[in-house]
Amino acid sequence: MQKLLQCIPNFSEGQRPEVIEQIADAVRAVEDVRLLGVSPNGDHNRTVLTFVGPPDAVAEAAFQATSKAVELIDMRMQKGEHPRIGAMDVVPFVPISGMTMADAVDVANAVGKRIAAELDVPVYLYAAAATTPARKRLPDVRHGQYEGLQESIALPERKPDFGEAKMHPTAGAIAVGARPPLIAFNVNLGTGNVAIAKTIAKGLRESSGGLMNVQALGVDLAEQGIVQVSMNLLDYTRTPIHRAYELVRIEAERHGVAVVGSEIVGLVPLDALLGVVDFYLRLSDFTRNQVLEARLLEG
Amino acid sequence: MQKLLQCIPNFSEGQRPEVIEQIADAVRAVEDVRLLGVSPNGDHNRTVLTFVGPPDAVAEAAFQATSKAVELIDMRMQKGEHPRIGAMDVVPFVPISGMTMADAVDVANAVGKRIAAELDVPVYLYAAAATTPARKRLPDVRHGQYEGLQESIALPERKPDFGEAKMHPTAGAIAVGARPPLIAFNVNLGTGNVAIAKTIAKGLRESSGGLMNVQALGVDLAEQGIVQVSMNLLDYTRTPIHRAYELVRIEAERHGVAVVGSEIVGLVPLDALLGVVDFYLRLSDFTRNQVLEARLLEG
């Protein structure tokens, strides 16, 4: 199967188009990498890039984008609403096909090591690449932000995974990690009673005893006269789309409410959708290679 | 959306590997075309090629493969179990994505015209490209085969759509057409009673009052102790996979029998699977472009 890795770096510039474009161009310049999205946010003063390709090419593009961000962004002046520790703030690698999470962790390690060695920016490994439980969650890694980390980086528990325990003067520090693809999945319910959506969301989410790897909120879609269970599925390989959908459906039935629709927001890996087809059709022996378009992507 | 066209030509040589390879190589030589399958059948003395790509490239590859088959296959000697009218016997074009059936019919017309003009082989348009109802079905077009058509081609009703009413001395004639993708879809039932599968198949198929665009047979899978409703879905855009599946499931329930599995045999277009996801998750506003791998195929 073709190896595909995704990278979704976030850098600390969301206002100056010429800076954003130069960083995006660093990705575009790498052969075999496809830049699928450039999403600046002016208030956050932050931009999210989405690109995908073979692992070596994606690793190279992540490094080149980081190098350009380190060159162009001066954190001594940077202001924005979003928490951040550096010019290139966070670089997550996401296995899409033909790769395990361990493979993505290897890429995070290699890129993190190179960033520290060649750009003199201290690197924290996070999420699946974290070296201690305290670094699993990004908010913990970002604690104190660029300003606070100037001093706390010297503490033993804040020692970077790569590079010296010293902030880069203009570029700060960077979090590099590996995680599963996140799927934003919402289920709409045929009622105007948001309390029902909130109750179901509470039952669904990991934090209150529901499904692992699921975040869920009950939301009022007042304009449409319906409510929504809005979810993030953080690891569809272990907690697939259909399981979240069916659980919402069954919990809604308890309230005499029907599912009237659902939506997937943004990008979704093919394998996550094949899981849905597999479940409902009870497929046996179906492989990704039988999808004509997936065959076309094979090298 | 990216335009993808599939072509599944059948030529009248299934025994001599060196001839088969030369015809396959004619396809491989065309840039942007992906040859996905070469399936020779010795008894039929016939080979099926499967390839896909942008419409212009696929049209070129279909012509080049036909040209090579006309050059290398002498129908005066050819024997095999499968009905055929020519060296390159039949060339169907199948719209996969970003194309309508009318677009595929245009390609069939252009390629058919070129074959008649440059290779002196008379061309019949069939299936969605047919110019009269009598040429919709391939068996009707192939009536009398290579041998019988030598004389009957002179009849007004057998006049070719392109080229003179005269068989090519060694290559015969050719059927060129356009049709939707065929999906081979089987549903397994948890009973050893093949009569139930046969009854359900009869209820499912178009020919006995069931679903349009569905062929169905009841089959005994004695080794596994179960039975199967084996279907060809001839136009999933109008009669989608989930409709066939659900109808089998409901008819089986009537007999107290459960669906224990299903299988998709061979290749399936992504859009057909997205239809399944759409149905079961009640998706709204989902587009093919949200599938990461589909985005990668975009030009």
PDB file of all heavy atoms in Angstrom, chain A residues 2-32:
ATOM      1  N   GLN A   2       0.417   2.269  -0.681  1.00  0.00           N
ATOM      2  CA  GLN A   2       1.187   3.502  -0.749  1.00  0.00           C
ATOM      3  C   GLN A   2       1.315   4.160   0.630  1.00  0.00           C
ATOM      4  O   GLN A   2       0.354   4.257   1.373  1.00  0.00           O
ATOM      5  CB  GLN A   2       0.469   4.467  -1.695  1.00  0.00           C
ATOM      6  CG  GLN A   2       1.352   5.624  -2.125  1.00  0.00           C
ATOM      7  CD  GLN A   2       0.544   6.843  -2.452  1.00  0.00           C
ATOM      8  OE1 GLN A   2      -0.608   6.940  -2.056  1.00  0.00           O
ATOM      9  NE2 GLN A   2       1.142   7.774  -3.161  1.00  0.00           N
ATOM     10  N   LYS A   3       2.539   4.610   0.946  1.00  0.00           N
ATOM     11  CA  LYS A   3       2.744   5.292   2.225  1.00  0.00           C
ATOM     12  C   LYS A   3       2.402   6.764   2.090  1.00  0.00           C
ATOM     13  O   LYS A   3       2.997   7.475   1.283  1.00  0.00           O
ATOM     14  CB  LYS A   3       4.201   5.157   2.663  1.00  0.00           C
ATOM     15  CG  LYS A   3       4.563   3.775   3.133  1.00  0.00           C
ATOM     16  CD  LYS A   3       5.972   3.749   3.695  1.00  0.00           C
ATOM     17  CE  LYS A   3       6.328   2.332   4.081  1.00  0.00           C
ATOM     18  NZ  LYS A   3       7.669   2.236   4.671  1.00  0.00           N
ATOM     19  N   LEU A   4       1.445   7.213   2.882  1.00  0.00           N
ATOM     20  CA  LEU A   4       1.045   8.623   2.866  1.00  0.00           C
ATOM     21  C   LEU A   4       1.098   9.167   4.279  1.00  0.00           C
ATOM     22  O   LEU A   4       0.528   8.583   5.204  1.00  0.00           O
ATOM     23  CB  LEU A   4      -0.381   8.784   2.344  1.00  0.00           C
ATOM     24  CG  LEU A   4      -0.609   8.826   0.843  1.00  0.00           C
ATOM     25  CD1 LEU A   4      -2.091   9.024   0.563  1.00  0.00           C
ATOM     26  CD2 LEU A   4       0.220   9.922   0.178  1.00  0.00           C
ATOM     27  N   LEU A   5       1.787  10.298   4.418  1.00  0.00           N
ATOM     28  CA  LEU A   5       1.885  10.973   5.704  1.00  0.00           C
ATOM     29  C   LEU A   5       1.333  12.380   5.542  1.00  0.00           C
ATOM     30  O   LEU A   5       1.552  13.017   4.509  1.00  0.00           O
ATOM     31  CB  LEU A   5       3.360  11.024   6.131  1.00  0.00           C
ATOM     32  CG  LEU A   5       3.675  11.607   7.514  1.00  0.00           C
ATOM     33  CD1 LEU A   5       3.098  10.719   8.617  1.00  0.00           C
ATOM     34  CD2 LEU A   5       5.194  11.740   7.698  1.00  0.00           C
ATOM     35  N   GLN A   6       0.604  12.840   6.543  1.00  0.00           N
ATOM     36  CA  GLN A   6       0.079  14.200   6.518  1.00  0.00           C
ATOM     37  C   GLN A   6       0.828  15.023   7.565  1.00  0.00           C
ATOM     38  O   GLN A   6       1.306  14.469   8.565  1.00  0.00           O
ATOM     39  CB  GLN A   6      -1.416  14.158   6.852  1.00  0.00           C
ATOM     40  CG  GLN A   6      -2.156  15.480   6.640  1.00  0.00           C
ATOM     41  CD  GLN A   6      -3.621  15.382   7.042  1.00  0.00           C
ATOM     42  OE1 GLN A   6      -4.019  14.473   7.745  1.00  0.00           O
ATOM     43  NE2 GLN A   6      -4.424  16.326   6.595  1.00  0.00           N
ATOM     44  N   CYS A   7       0.944  16.315   7.318  1.00  0.00           N
ATOM     45  CA  CYS A   7       1.546  17.201   8.310  1.00  0.00           C
ATOM     46  C   CYS A   7       0.695  18.467   8.377  1.00  0.00           C
ATOM     47  O   CYS A   7       0.248  18.973   7.340  1.00  0.00           O
ATOM     48  CB  CYS A   7       2.990  17.526   7.920  1.00  0.00           C
ATOM     49  SG  CYS A   7       3.866  18.528   9.139  1.00  0.00           S
ATOM     50  N   ILE A   8       0.430  18.945   9.593  1.00  0.00           N
ATOM     51  CA  ILE A   8      -0.441  20.105   9.786  1.00  0.00           C
ATOM     52  C   ILE A   8       0.263  21.103  10.709  1.00  0.00           C
ATOM     53  O   ILE A   8      -0.143  21.326  11.848  1.00  0.00           O
ATOM     54  CB  ILE A   8      -1.801  19.667  10.394  1.00  0.00           C
ATOM     55  CG1 ILE A   8      -2.425  18.562   9.546  1.00  0.00           C
ATOM     56  CG2 ILE A   8      -2.789  20.847  10.469  1.00  0.00           C
ATOM     57  CD1 ILE A   8      -2.639  17.269  10.280  1.00  0.00           C
ATOM     58  N   PRO A   9       1.344  21.736  10.214  1.00  0.00           N
ATOM     59  CA  PRO A   9       2.089  22.673  11.054  1.00  0.00           C
ATOM     60  C   PRO A   9       1.315  23.963  11.292  1.00  0.00           C
ATOM     61  O   PRO A   9       0.576  24.433  10.420  1.00  0.00           O
ATOM     62  CB  PRO A   9       3.373  22.947  10.264  1.00  0.00           C
ATOM     63  CG  PRO A   9       3.094  22.545   8.873  1.00  0.00           C
ATOM     64  CD  PRO A   9       1.968  21.569   8.892  1.00  0.00           C
ATOM     65  N   ASN A  10       1.483  24.519  12.470  1.00  0.00           N
ATOM     66  CA  ASN A  10       0.885  25.802  12.855  1.00  0.00           C
ATOM     67  C   ASN A  10       2.019  26.779  13.136  1.00  0.00           C
ATOM     68  O   ASN A  10       2.857  26.510  13.995  1.00  0.00           O
ATOM     69  CB  ASN A  10       0.078  25.657  14.147  1.00  0.00           C
ATOM     70  CG  ASN A  10      -1.158  24.795  14.021  1.00  0.00           C
ATOM     71  OD1 ASN A  10      -2.187  25.102  14.597  1.00  0.00           O
ATOM     72  ND2 ASN A  10      -1.060  23.677  13.307  1.00  0.00           N
ATOM     73  N   PHE A  11       2.042  27.902  12.414  1.00  0.00           N
ATOM     74  CA  PHE A  11       3.081  28.887  12.713  1.00  0.00           C
ATOM     75  C   PHE A  11       2.465  30.221  13.141  1.00  0.00           C
ATOM     76  O   PHE A  11       1.279  30.486  12.882  1.00  0.00           O
ATOM     77  CB  PHE A  11       4.072  29.045  11.548  1.00  0.00           C
ATOM     78  CG  PHE A  11       3.473  29.472  10.242  1.00  0.00           C
ATOM     79  CD1 PHE A  11       3.250  30.812   9.963  1.00  0.00           C
ATOM     80  CD2 PHE A  11       3.158  28.525   9.269  1.00  0.00           C
ATOM     81  CE1 PHE A  11       2.719  31.198   8.745  1.00  0.00           C
ATOM     82  CE2 PHE A  11       2.624  28.902   8.050  1.00  0.00           C
ATOM     83  CZ  PHE A  11       2.397  30.250   7.785  1.00  0.00           C
ATOM     84  N   SER A  12       3.295  31.048  13.800  1.00  0.00           N
ATOM     85  CA  SER A  12       2.782  32.199  14.542  1.00  0.00           C
ATOM     86  C   SER A  12       2.735  33.484  13.710  1.00  0.00           C
ATOM     87  O   SER A  12       3.235  34.527  14.123  1.00  0.00           O
ATOM     88  CB  SER A  12       3.619  32.399  15.814  1.00  0.00           C
ATOM     89  OG  SER A  12       3.509  31.259  16.642  1.00  0.00           O
ATOM     90  N   GLU A  13       2.144  33.395  12.548  1.00  0.00           N
ATOM     91  CA  GLU A  13       1.922  34.563  11.707  1.00  0.00           C
ATOM     92  C   GLU A  13       0.614  34.349  10.944  1.00  0.00           C
ATOM     93  O   GLU A  13       0.493  33.389  10.180  1.00  0.00           O
ATOM     94  CB  GLU A  13       3.077  34.744  10.713  1.00  0.00           C
ATOM     95  CG  GLU A  13       2.867  35.868   9.695  1.00  0.00           C
ATOM     96  CD  GLU A  13       2.670  37.232  10.360  1.00  0.00           C
ATOM     97  OE1 GLU A  13       3.601  37.696  11.035  1.00  0.00           O
ATOM     98  OE2 GLU A  13       1.555  37.802  10.229  1.00  0.00           O
ATOM     99  N   GLY A  14      -0.363  35.229  11.180  1.00  0.00           N
ATOM    100  CA  GLY A  14      -1.653  35.083  10.504  1.00  0.00           C
ATOM    101  C   GLY A  14      -2.101  36.370   9.864  1.00  0.00           C
ATOM    102  O   GLY A  14      -3.249  36.504   9.449  1.00  0.00           O
ATOM    103  N   GLN A  15      -1.175  37.353   9.783  1.00  0.00           N
ATOM    104  CA  GLN A  15      -1.570  38.684   9.304  1.00  0.00           C
ATOM    105  C   GLN A  15      -0.813  39.135   8.060  1.00  0.00           C
ATOM    106  O   GLN A  15      -1.401  39.718   7.162  1.00  0.00           O
ATOM    107  CB  GLN A  15      -1.390  39.696  10.446  1.00  0.00           C
ATOM    108  CG  GLN A  15      -2.347  39.407  11.614  1.00  0.00           C
ATOM    109  CD  GLN A  15      -1.985  40.131  12.901  1.00  0.00           C
ATOM    110  OE1 GLN A  15      -0.948  40.793  12.995  1.00  0.00           O
ATOM    111  NE2 GLN A  15      -2.830  39.990  13.910  1.00  0.00           N
ATOM    112  N   ARG A  16       0.459  38.874   7.972  1.00  0.00           N
ATOM    113  CA  ARG A  16       1.256  39.367   6.840  1.00  0.00           C
ATOM    114  C   ARG A  16       1.274  38.330   5.714  1.00  0.00           C
ATOM    115  O   ARG A  16       1.985  37.321   5.799  1.00  0.00           O
ATOM    116  CB  ARG A  16       2.688  39.671   7.295  1.00  0.00           C
ATOM    117  CG  ARG A  16       2.776  40.848   8.292  1.00  0.00           C
ATOM    118  CD  ARG A  16       4.209  41.060   8.762  1.00  0.00           C
ATOM    119  NE  ARG A  16       4.698  39.924   9.541  1.00  0.00           N
ATOM    120  CZ  ARG A  16       5.985  39.698   9.814  1.00  0.00           C
ATOM    121  NH1 ARG A  16       6.922  40.508   9.326  1.00  0.00           N
ATOM    122  NH2 ARG A  16       6.346  38.662  10.534  1.00  0.00           N
ATOM    123  N   PRO A  17       0.505  38.580   4.652  1.00  0.00           N
ATOM    124  CA  PRO A  17       0.387  37.593   3.563  1.00  0.00           C
ATOM    125  C   PRO A  17       1.746  37.213   2.961  1.00  0.00           C
ATOM    126  O   PRO A  17       1.947  36.069   2.578  1.00  0.00           O
ATOM    127  CB  PRO A  17      -0.480  38.304   2.513  1.00  0.00           C
ATOM    128  CG  PRO A  17      -1.145  39.427   3.225  1.00  0.00           C
ATOM    129  CD  PRO A  17      -0.271  39.798   4.377  1.00  0.00           C
ATOM    130  N   GLU A  18       2.689  38.181   2.879  1.00  0.00           N
ATOM    131  CA  GLU A  18       3.957  37.877   2.212  1.00  0.00           C
ATOM    132  C   GLU A  18       4.776  36.877   3.031  1.00  0.00           C
ATOM    133  O   GLU A  18       5.495  36.051   2.474  1.00  0.00           O
ATOM    134  CB  GLU A  18       4.736  39.171   1.906  1.00  0.00           C
ATOM    135  CG  GLU A  18       5.317  39.909   3.094  1.00  0.00           C
ATOM    136  CD  GLU A  18       4.283  40.727   3.888  1.00  0.00           C
ATOM    137  OE1 GLU A  18       3.069  40.638   3.592  1.00  0.00           O
ATOM    138  OE2 GLU A  18       4.702  41.455   4.833  1.00  0.00           O
ATOM    139  N   VAL A  19       4.642  36.938   4.347  1.00  0.00           N
ATOM    140  CA  VAL A  19       5.345  35.968   5.198  1.00  0.00           C
ATOM    141  C   VAL A  19       4.679  34.590   5.075  1.00  0.00           C
ATOM    142  O   VAL A  19       5.335  33.558   4.903  1.00  0.00           O
ATOM    143  CB  VAL A  19       5.360  36.435   6.671  1.00  0.00           C
ATOM    144  CG1 VAL A  19       5.913  35.336   7.574  1.00  0.00           C
ATOM    145  CG2 VAL A  19       6.169  37.720   6.795  1.00  0.00           C
ATOM    146  N   ILE A  20       3.349  34.598   5.145  1.00  0.00           N
ATOM    147  CA  ILE A  20       2.591  33.341   5.043  1.00  0.00           C
ATOM    148  C   ILE A  20       2.912  32.636   3.724  1.00  0.00           C
ATOM    149  O   ILE A  20       3.166  31.427   3.690  1.00  0.00           O
ATOM    150  CB  ILE A  20       1.074  33.625   5.172  1.00  0.00           C
ATOM    151  CG1 ILE A  20       0.769  34.164   6.572  1.00  0.00           C
ATOM    152  CG2 ILE A  20       0.251  32.382   4.862  1.00  0.00           C
ATOM    153  CD1 ILE A  20      -0.630  34.753   6.733  1.00  0.00           C
ATOM    154  N   GLU A  21       2.942  33.425   2.638  1.00  0.00           N
ATOM    155  CA  GLU A  21       3.191  32.818   1.320  1.00  0.00           C
ATOM    156  C   GLU A  21       4.588  32.232   1.205  1.00  0.00           C
ATOM    157  O   GLU A  21       4.792  31.185   0.583  1.00  0.00           O
ATOM    158  CB  GLU A  21       2.954  33.847   0.207  1.00  0.00           C
ATOM    159  CG  GLU A  21       1.504  33.903  -0.241  1.00  0.00           C
ATOM    160  CD  GLU A  21       0.945  32.520  -0.572  1.00  0.00           C
ATOM    161  OE1 GLU A  21       1.418  31.897  -1.540  1.00  0.00           O
ATOM    162  OE2 GLU A  21       0.049  32.041   0.158  1.00  0.00           O
ATOM    163  N   GLN A  22       5.572  32.911   1.790  1.00  0.00           N
ATOM    164  CA  GLN A  22       6.942  32.376   1.713  1.00  0.00           C
ATOM    165  C   GLN A  22       7.061  31.043   2.442  1.00  0.00           C
ATOM    166  O   GLN A  22       7.775  30.145   1.995  1.00  0.00           O
ATOM    167  CB  GLN A  22       7.946  33.385   2.304  1.00  0.00           C
ATOM    168  CG  GLN A  22       8.248  34.541   1.367  1.00  0.00           C
ATOM    169  CD  GLN A  22       9.324  35.455   1.949  1.00  0.00           C
ATOM    170  OE1 GLN A  22      10.501  35.117   1.962  1.00  0.00           O
ATOM    171  NE2 GLN A  22       8.901  36.601   2.438  1.00  0.00           N
ATOM    172  N   ILE A  23       6.363  30.932   3.568  1.00  0.00           N
ATOM    173  CA  ILE A  23       6.415  29.665   4.319  1.00  0.00           C
ATOM    174  C   ILE A  23       5.665  28.567   3.545  1.00  0.00           C
ATOM    175  O   ILE A  23       6.130  27.440   3.436  1.00  0.00           O
ATOM    176  CB  ILE A  23       5.866  29.859   5.753  1.00  0.00           C
ATOM    177  CG1 ILE A  23       6.767  30.866   6.494  1.00  0.00           C
ATOM    178  CG2 ILE A  23       5.785  28.536   6.500  1.00  0.00           C
ATOM    179  CD1 ILE A  23       6.222  31.348   7.839  1.00  0.00           C
ATOM    180  N   ALA A  24       4.514  28.955   2.978  1.00  0.00           N
ATOM    181  CA  ALA A  24       3.761  27.978   2.166  1.00  0.00           C
ATOM    182  C   ALA A  24       4.584  27.547   0.949  1.00  0.00           C
ATOM    183  O   ALA A  24       4.577  26.368   0.562  1.00  0.00           O
ATOM    184  CB  ALA A  24       2.427  28.576   1.725  1.00  0.00           C
ATOM    185  N   ASP A  25       5.300  28.504   0.346  1.00  0.00           N
ATOM    186  CA  ASP A  25       6.125  28.185  -0.824  1.00  0.00           C
ATOM    187  C   ASP A  25       7.242  27.189  -0.491  1.00  0.00           C
ATOM    188  O   ASP A  25       7.646  26.403  -1.343  1.00  0.00           O
ATOM    189  CB  ASP A  25       6.750  29.463  -1.411  1.00  0.00           C
ATOM    190  CG  ASP A  25       5.745  30.260  -2.247  1.00  0.00           C
ATOM    191  OD1 ASP A  25       4.698  29.673  -2.620  1.00  0.00           O
ATOM    192  OD2 ASP A  25       6.009  31.439  -2.520  1.00  0.00           O
ATOM    193  N   ALA A  26       7.731  27.256   0.742  1.00  0.00           N
ATOM    194  CA  ALA A  26       8.781  26.305   1.150  1.00  0.00           C
ATOM    195  C   ALA A  26       8.239  24.877   1.084  1.00  0.00           C
ATOM    196  O   ALA A  26       8.970  23.923   0.779  1.00  0.00           O
ATOM    197  CB  ALA A  26       9.270  26.629   2.554  1.00  0.00           C
ATOM    198  N   VAL A  27       6.936  24.726   1.359  1.00  0.00           N
ATOM    199  CA  VAL A  27       6.308  23.397   1.250  1.00  0.00           C
ATOM    200  C   VAL A  27       6.091  23.039  -0.220  1.00  0.00           C
ATOM    201  O   VAL A  27       6.421  21.940  -0.678  1.00  0.00           O
ATOM    202  CB  VAL A  27       4.962  23.367   2.016  1.00  0.00           C
ATOM    203  CG1 VAL A  27       4.215  22.063   1.756  1.00  0.00           C
ATOM    204  CG2 VAL A  27       5.200  23.572   3.509  1.00  0.00           C
ATOM    205  N   ARG A  28       5.553  24.002  -0.976  1.00  0.00           N
ATOM    206  CA  ARG A  28       5.258  23.759  -2.396  1.00  0.00           C
ATOM    207  C   ARG A  28       6.504  23.362  -3.173  1.00  0.00           C
ATOM    208  O   ARG A  28       6.430  22.651  -4.167  1.00  0.00           O
ATOM    209  CB  ARG A  28       4.662  25.020  -3.040  1.00  0.00           C
ATOM    210  CG  ARG A  28       3.271  25.385  -2.537  1.00  0.00           C
ATOM    211  CD  ARG A  28       2.661  26.505  -3.388  1.00  0.00           C
ATOM    212  NE  ARG A  28       1.377  26.951  -2.835  1.00  0.00           N
ATOM    213  CZ  ARG A  28       1.214  28.068  -2.121  1.00  0.00           C
ATOM    214  NH1 ARG A  28       2.257  28.870  -1.887  1.00  0.00           N
ATOM    215  NH2 ARG A  28       0.030  28.394  -1.655  1.00  0.00           N
ATOM    216  N   ALA A  29       7.665  23.833  -2.718  1.00  0.00           N
ATOM    217  CA  ALA A  29       8.899  23.591  -3.466  1.00  0.00           C
ATOM    218  C   ALA A  29       9.391  22.153  -3.346  1.00  0.00           C
ATOM    219  O   ALA A  29      10.257  21.729  -4.109  1.00  0.00           O
ATOM    220  CB  ALA A  29       9.989  24.549  -2.981  1.00  0.00           C
ATOM    221  N   VAL A  30       8.829  21.395  -2.424  1.00  0.00           N
ATOM    222  CA  VAL A  30       9.308  20.022  -2.230  1.00  0.00           C
ATOM    223  C   VAL A  30       8.522  19.072  -3.137  1.00  0.00           C
ATOM    224  O   VAL A  30       7.292  19.007  -3.073  1.00  0.00           O
ATOM    225  CB  VAL A  30       9.180  19.587  -0.754  1.00  0.00           C
ATOM    226  CG1 VAL A  30       9.634  18.144  -0.575  1.00  0.00           C
ATOM    227  CG2 VAL A  30       9.992  20.520   0.138  1.00  0.00           C
ATOM    228  N   GLU A  31       9.222  18.346  -3.961  1.00  0.00           N
ATOM    229  CA  GLU A  31       8.595  17.456  -4.929  1.00  0.00           C
ATOM    230  C   GLU A  31       7.771  16.375  -4.218  1.00  0.00           C
ATOM    231  O   GLU A  31       8.159  15.896  -3.148  1.00  0.00           O
ATOM    232  CB  GLU A  31       9.678  16.794  -5.797  1.00  0.00           C
ATOM    233  CG  GLU A  31       9.146  16.343  -7.141  1.00  0.00           C
ATOM    234  CD  GLU A  31      10.289  15.868  -8.052  1.00  0.00           C
ATOM    235  OE1 GLU A  31      11.454  15.946  -7.631  1.00  0.00           O
ATOM    236  OE2 GLU A  31       9.995  15.419  -9.160  1.00  0.00           O
ATOM    237  N   ASP A  32       6.649  15.989  -4.848  1.00  0.00           N
ATOM    238  CA  ASP A  32       5.763  14.922  -4.364  1.00  0.00           C
ATOM    239  C   ASP A  32       4.907  15.329  -3.162  1.00  0.00           C
ATOM    240  O   ASP A  32       4.108  14.531  -2.685  1.00  0.00           O
ATOM    241  CB  ASP A  32       6.532  13.638  -4.005  1.00  0.00           C
ATOM    242  CG  ASP A  32       7.176  13.017  -5.223  1.00  0.00           C
ATOM    243  OD1 ASP A  32       6.668  13.234  -6.341  1.00  0.00           O
ATOM    244  OD2 ASP A  32       8.198  12.328  -5.063  1.00  0.00           O
TER     245      ASP A  32
END
